[in-house]
Amino acid sequence: MSTAKNVLEMSWDNVVNYLQYISEPKKTIPQNGIKNMKCESELMSHLLTNQQITKCISLWLSKLYDKRELRKEKKNLDTSMFYKSEGNKEFQLKNYNTSLKLYTKSAIYAPSSSIDLPVAVANRSAALFYLERWQDCIKDIELAIKLGYPEKSRGKLYLRIVECYLKLNKKILAARIISELNNSNQYDMTNEQRERLQKMNEIKLQSVNAIDGINDVHRTCNIVNVTESPSQPKLKRLKSGENPNFRSASASIEVKHAPGKGRYVVANRNIKKGETLFVEDAFTFVLVNNNKDNTHCHNCCKSYLDVPVPCTECVDTLFCNMKCWDEACLSYHRWLCLASQMGLLRQIGITHLALKLLCVCATTTNNEKFNDVQQLVTNFNKLTPEDAFSYGITAIMLTFYLSKYTDFFKDINLKECLASKFSNDDFNIKCDLVTEDDKRLYVSSLLFRHILQLVCNGHAITKINVTADDHENKLLIEEQIRIATAIYPSASMMNHSCDPNIINSFLDQTLIVKAIQDIKEGEEILHCYGVDFRRMPKAERQESLESQYYFTCNCKACTMPEYENFMKRFTAIKCPECSGPLLLCDDHDPPMLCSDCGATVFELTYIYKAKQAQVYAKNYFKEAEYYIREGNLEEAVIELKKCLSLRKNILYKYHEDIIITLDLLAKLYISIDQRLPAIYHLEHTIVAIEERYGSCSIELCNELNKITDICITYLQMESNTTSKFYKNILKKTRRYLNNAQQILDIVYGPWHEIYNEIETKMAILFNILQNFNV
């Protein structure tokens, strides 16, 4: 094992492993000891008295702090100037999109003390102007001025903002600024800029009557902010109204409590499929560090696209606007910023959210929401000694960080900002708050609690990511990705089922929960904790739930026989009697049993032939992939058709290999402009995907969206509109689009990423259908 000196160079995970090795958690934290502890502070007091642990943590943090200036990802004037120079080159070449990205990087790396930060933002506003993004241009000009853009040079920015106002048909605002510029000599302007100002005077004169009626003429240093966020459908709140005793929840549901079961959610009346049950804003969240495509605000989770507002001190934190920047600094980022600069936040996983949660709890004025969070389950007494030790020393490390490297303990009065907010003393950690040691014990205990709460109650915020495939960008592929982890106190009251009756979707940081089936009065509302029976076998689900949530699942998907072999169906060979899925009885050797007709197959010859045919089919598939790489798509189609024929002969009709083959064939047919066979093959995948993922799944919706892309293109490009094929595709397209929209209406909403695509295609189809009686 490494020496203590080497430990200082380790990542935090390795430090935890080292401390576990030298401390032996099973000896220092007996299992029965945890079970008998009444609250978190008992364990934390025990760990804080271990000088070997606390000394190692202090030294590690000190080393991390000292190395922050050596990190590659830090504010750096040379890096900022390099990106600015590259941005200028691209701007001169009129490559405005490229220059926009380079100016953004220049702003991200510019030190707060340098003029390069406001200059980079001002340069970016010029690129936005030529890209005709007037609102974003105004936003950047406002930001550049706030960041200290040289006052003498602001004239050109004001001229630019006037032109933006004119483009937006906001002549009164433009005229105000023109008037100010005419009456001021404080700005340096070139002759060309003065000429532009003179021409703009005509606009001022046209609008003077309107201006005369306004008394509160704004100074140019307080430019009116007309930046508008992209239009999006208004989120429909709860149809039945909010339950007064259950925040963010519909009046049609309520929380109950039962011994041994704890709190759970039930319907207090009959609920229809598609009804909204929760609309809840995250109490707080953190973005997923390893998601390189993240373009979301660290404060509100809205997308900032390519024009973020960077933190002036760290390079990892970006916001969508100045309001979010200010809110974050007042709430939590003033204490997290240095941790970002040190590279600490990237090392601590979900405990990053626990640290932010503590900061938000300390600064929130909403005591009711504060208490909703504090009362979330922790499963503290079910922890193994190893987990208790790992989470505990992480809580200590974060406490030491707050105490030594931030002003948290100076800024926050722990009694007023935390202890006094608890409405139930059962959840308040019992600690005196007199000495510094008392305060460290209190904060580390709260952090430890928050870590445990997040392990049990954290929600993944997801979105649909759309990418183009490899075949000349002719087909779009949608995939669901995780962008953040959040805490939703009310929605966390739902218990788990591997076959849930609700589904989650997100609008920025807002969680929308909808029923995906009719739910009877008195029936429990059940959420899936990420281990859906359609995506994970029973044994893996049980293991995952036991290790993270400390319970054995007894839902119908885990106990009823018809669910037992669900996943195996999609890797099964074909039954010789009924063509159903033929499954191995013991996962190793024959006999094999058909789960549809019950036939038992002992014949080794049949099984051997099936396996041989699979090998041949795989070889055909590899040959097709080779031809695709070589650009010989016609030969690839021939090989794939051989592969598909073999697989259909030996495999169950919904086998995943058949679906993969059909999907690739469809893509190839698109690439060689044969849309009818592409549609034919995708029709077969739709049936299989519905069987696998369900009639309300986003997977089915994505597949319907994909096939209608091809259908609409076919209908627009096909000249023979009287053929039976054309009319047949018309009918199918209408049916598929209606099905996709129904899925989105029932389980998501008009804010979903695919919704606009479906509506656009329905409008195109409506115009085509005007000439047909179908």
Side-chain angles (χ1 to χ4, degrees):
M1 179 56 70
S2 302
T3 64
K5 183 178 180 181
N6 292 334
V7 172
L8 302 184
E9 304 293 335
M10 290 180 179
S11 68
W12 178 246
D13 282 344
N14 287 332
V15 172
V16 171
N17 292 336
Y18 170 77
L19 290 175
Q20 282 188 329
Y21 176 79
I22 65 173
S23 301
E24 297 185 67
K26 287 184 179 179
K27 293 182 179 179
T28 58
I29 311 176
Q31 181 71 55
N32 289 336
I34 296 173
K35 288 182 178 179
N36 296 327
M37 289 179 184
K38 293 183 179 179
C39 68
E40 297 85 351
S41 59
E42 291 186 42
L43 174 65
M44 298 311 298
S45 178
H46 176 79
L47 293 175
L48 280 165
T49 57
N50 188 319
Q51 293 185 0
Q52 189 178 29
I53 291 173
T54 56
K55 182 179 179 180
C56 180
I57 290 173
S58 295
L59 290 173
W60 183 81
L61 275 173
S62 178
K63 185 73 172 179
L64 196 67
Y65 177 81
D66 292 341
K67 289 170 58 180
R68 74 190 189 285
E69 290 300 327
L70 301 176
R71 293 185 71 233
K72 182 179 179 182
E73 292 299 305
K74 67 181 181 65
K75 298 288 184 181
N76 184 287
L77 184 58
D78 290 339
T79 304
S80 175
M81 291 179 67
F82 167 77
Y83 283 123
K84 182 176 75 172
S85 175
E86 294 299 304
N88 289 341
K89 292 176 184 176
E90 295 297 332
F91 187 86
Q92 293 300 322
L93 294 171
K94 299 184 179 181
N95 296 329
Y96 299 122
N97 277 313
T98 304
S99 68
L100 181 70
K101 295 175 183 177
L102 292 165
Y103 289 143
T104 294
K105 287 188 175 182
S106 177
I108 289 172
Y109 286 100
S112 59
S113 58
S114 76
I115 195 63
D116 285 71
L117 177 55
V119 167
V121 176
N123 287 349
R124 189 172 71 179
S125 76
L128 289 165
F129 180 83
Y130 284 102
L131 289 168
E132 300 183 358
R133 293 169 58 178
W134 321 120
Q135 292 170 346
D136 286 332
C137 179
I138 293 170
K139 184 178 83 169
D140 264 7
I141 292 171
E142 293 174 332
L143 178 60
I145 292 171
K146 179 177 180 178
L147 292 170
Y149 192 85
E151 192 163 351
K152 277 284 188 182
S153 303
R154 291 180 185 179
K156 62 182 179 183
L157 297 187
Y158 293 143
L159 286 175
R160 189 177 299 151
I161 207 170
V162 166
E163 292 177 295
C164 288
Y165 283 147
L166 294 177
K167 296 291 186 180
L168 293 167
N169 201 29
K170 297 181 181 290
K171 292 183 180 180
I172 294 176
L173 296 178
R176 287 174 178 169
I177 300 175
I178 293 169
S179 182
E180 294 276 347
L181 291 173
N182 282 330
N183 297 328
S184 175
N185 295 318
Q186 63 178 314
Y187 307 116
D188 292 334
M189 287 193 189
T190 64
N191 290 334
E192 181 187 351
Q193 289 168 347
R194 289 289 175 188
E195 289 176 8
R196 284 167 57 198
L197 178 60
Q198 189 61 37
K199 291 180 180 179
M200 289 176 181
N201 272 316
E202 299 175 11
I203 298 161
K204 178 207 164 190
L205 292 172
Q206 292 170 9
S207 304
V208 70
N209 291 334
I211 297 175
D212 286 342
I214 299 173
N215 296 320
D216 58 335
V217 178
H218 292 255
R219 304 291 300 175
T220 50
C221 59
N222 293 318
I223 297 171
V224 177
N225 184 355
V226 298
T227 307
E228 300 170 4
S229 57
S231 61
Q232 60 183 12
K234 186 177 180 181
L235 175 60
K236 292 182 180 179
R237 292 286 166 173
L238 300 163
K239 183 178 179 181
S240 302
E242 184 175 326
N243 187 325
N245 302 314
F246 193 9
R247 202 179 326 278
S248 304
S250 167
S252 61
I253 60 176
E254 61 185 86
V255 177
K256 289 195 173 183
H257 182 276
K261 185 173 184 176
R263 291 178 292 177
Y264 60 101
V265 182
V266 297
N268 56 31
R269 63 166 181 78
N270 291 337
I271 293 170
K272 292 290 186 182
K273 180 179 180 179
E275 186 173 329
T276 303
L277 305 181
F278 290 92
V279 178
E280 184 173 10
D281 294 331
F283 185 80
T284 190
F285 69 91
V286 293
L287 299 178
V288 175
N289 283 331
N290 58 6
N291 183 358
K292 295 180 180 179
D293 297 325
N294 238 331
T295 57
H296 293 77
C297 175
H298 280 68
N299 187 62
C300 71
C301 210
K302 288 182 180 178
S303 175
Y304 54 67
L305 301 176
D306 51 3
V307 285
V309 176
C311 172
T312 54
E313 302 300 330
C314 67
V315 299
D316 293 327
T317 310
L318 304 171
F319 304 104
C320 62
N321 56 41
M322 290 179 287
K323 181 173 179 265
C324 276
W325 179 20
D326 290 337
E327 284 180 359
C329 290
L330 287 172
S331 176
Y332 56 88
H333 190 60
R334 51 179 157 157
W335 301 306
L336 270 59
C337 186
L338 182 60
S340 178
Q341 296 172 51
M342 293 165 61
L344 176 61
L345 299 181
R346 288 185 170 271
Q347 299 189 49
I348 58 176
I350 197 171
T351 53
H352 174 190
L353 181 52
L355 178 61
K356 184 178 177 182
L357 179 56
L358 173 73
C359 296
V360 173
C361 283
T363 54
T364 185
T365 57
N366 191 325
N367 289 1
E368 292 180 341
K369 285 188 176 181
F370 170 90
N371 278 279
D372 287 344
V373 170
Q374 301 303 330
Q375 295 178 37
L376 291 174
V377 298
T378 64
N379 288 323
F380 169 61
N381 298 115
K382 297 179 181 179
L383 288 175
T384 64
E386 291 80 8
D387 285 345
F389 184 89
S390 173
Y391 298 144
I393 62 173
T394 300
I396 291 172
M397 182 270 289
L398 295 177
T399 303
F400 284 8
Y401 161 75
L402 289 173
S403 175
K404 184 174 180 180
Y405 301 100
T406 77
D407 292 329
F408 181 83
F409 281 79
K410 295 178 183 177
D411 296 339
I412 296 298
N413 183 314
L414 297 181
K415 283 187 178 179
E416 292 180 4
C417 298
L418 288 168
S420 66
K421 291 179 181 176
F422 283 86
S423 60
N424 189 333
D425 283 342
D426 291 341
F427 297 100
N428 201 352
I429 293 168
K430 307 301 186 291
C431 293
D432 294 325
L433 294 172
V434 179
T435 68
E436 284 302 309
D437 286 343
D438 292 339
K439 293 176 181 178
R440 286 187 175 188
L441 174 59
Y442 187 76
V443 170
S444 62
S445 299
L446 269 179
L447 279 167
F448 180 61
R449 171 188 287 174
H450 291 331
I451 292 171
L452 299 184
Q453 288 172 324
L454 294 170
V455 170
C456 300
N457 300 284
H459 277 71
I461 297 178
T462 59
K463 72 167 188 175
I464 302 298
N465 196 34
V466 180
T467 56
D469 68 11
D470 296 330
H471 300 289
E472 300 179 12
N473 298 340
K474 293 188 177 182
L475 206 58
L476 294 179
I477 301 170
E478 292 103 0
E479 60 175 340
Q480 194 170 49
I481 61 170
R482 181 175 186 156
I483 62 173
T485 304
I487 192 77
Y488 297 96
S490 292
S492 293
M493 294 298 101
M494 291 183 288
N495 279 334
H496 165 80
S497 171
C498 299
D499 185 15
N501 52 18
I502 61 93
I503 192 167
N504 294 339
S505 64
F506 298 90
L507 178 61
D508 303 326
Q509 63 168 316
T510 303
L511 169 66
I512 302 103
V513 178
K514 288 191 171 187
I516 55 173
Q517 61 190 52
D518 292 343
I519 302 173
K520 295 180 181 178
E521 181 180 352
E523 190 176 343
E524 187 170 0
I525 311 298
L526 295 167
H527 168 45
C528 178
Y529 293 179
V531 287
D532 192 326
F533 84 96
R534 296 180 181 276
R535 294 166 177 81
M536 190 180 292
K538 176 182 174 180
E540 291 180 29
R541 299 198 309 269
Q542 294 276 330
E543 182 181 354
S544 176
L545 293 167
E546 182 67 39
S547 63
Q548 183 170 352
Y549 300 100
Y550 304 100
F551 72 86
T552 300
C553 184
N554 292 311
C555 73
K556 62 181 181 180
C558 289
T559 55
M560 296 179 71
E562 56 263 37
Y563 288 87
E564 184 70 29
N565 296 312
F566 180 81
M567 292 284 291
K568 294 179 182 179
R569 294 167 63 90
F570 306 100
T571 55
I573 61 175
K574 183 191 293 186
C575 170
E577 299 293 331
C578 73
S579 298
L582 199 61
L583 309 174
L584 284 169
C585 295
D586 62 2
D587 289 337
H588 296 290
D589 300 308
M592 301 186 80
L593 180 69
C594 177
S595 64
D596 280 1
C597 71
T600 303
V601 177
F602 292 89
E603 191 179 346
L604 291 176
T605 305
Y606 177 79
I607 298 170
Y608 175 77
K609 286 181 178 179
K611 288 183 177 180
Q612 282 294 105
Q614 282 177 282
V615 172
Y616 293 137
K618 190 173 183 179
N619 289 336
Y620 287 136
F621 196 91
K622 287 182 177 179
E623 283 292 309
E625 289 181 317
Y626 167 77
Y627 284 123
I628 291 171
R629 289 193 297 269
E630 294 295 309
N632 193 341
L633 302 186
E634 287 79 7
E635 285 297 325
V637 168
I638 292 171
E639 295 300 312
L640 274 181
K641 288 171 75 174
K642 295 177 185 175
C643 172
L644 181 62
S645 177
L646 264 180
R647 285 178 169 172
K648 281 188 170 182
N649 282 333
I650 61 169
L651 303 179
Y652 175 54
K653 60 183 176 181
Y654 299 138
H655 195 290
E656 58 188 27
D657 286 349
I658 293 179
I659 307 311
I660 290 170
T661 312
L662 288 167
D663 191 67
L664 185 53
L665 259 173
K667 291 176 182 177
L668 288 176
Y669 278 123
I670 289 295
S671 297
I672 59 177
D673 291 326
Q674 294 186 31
R675 289 177 180 79
L676 278 177
I679 293 168
Y680 168 78
H681 285 90
L682 286 180
E683 284 178 318
H684 287 74
T685 69
I686 286 172
V687 179
I689 286 172
E690 182 172 358
E691 177 76 14
R692 173 72 183 269
Y693 297 107
S695 60
C696 288
S697 65
I698 190 59
E699 288 85 357
L700 176 59
C701 187
N702 289 341
E703 202 66 18
L704 291 167
N705 192 33
K706 183 195 300 184
I707 195 171
T708 53
D709 280 343
I710 306 167
C711 290
I712 289 292
T713 305
Y714 167 80
L715 293 173
Q716 289 177 313
M717 298 184 67
E718 177 60 44
S719 58
N720 185 6
T721 60
T722 60
S723 70
K724 64 178 182 180
F725 298 107
Y726 190 89
K727 292 182 179 180
N728 193 31
I729 296 300
L730 267 176
K731 294 177 182 178
K732 289 181 178 179
T733 305
R734 182 167 59 181
R735 184 170 74 249
Y736 292 147
L737 285 172
N738 286 336
N739 193 358
Q741 190 172 55
Q742 185 180 38
I743 294 172
L744 292 173
D745 284 334
I746 288 174
V747 299
Y748 299 104
W751 53 84
H752 196 277
E753 290 86 346
I754 302 176
Y755 205 94
N756 286 340
E757 296 178 45
I758 299 297
E759 283 200 325
T760 300
K761 285 184 282 192
M762 291 189 85
I764 294 171
L765 182 64
F766 178 80
N767 289 331
I768 296 173
L769 285 170
Q770 296 301 303
N771 300 319
F772 293 89
N773 183 24
V774 293

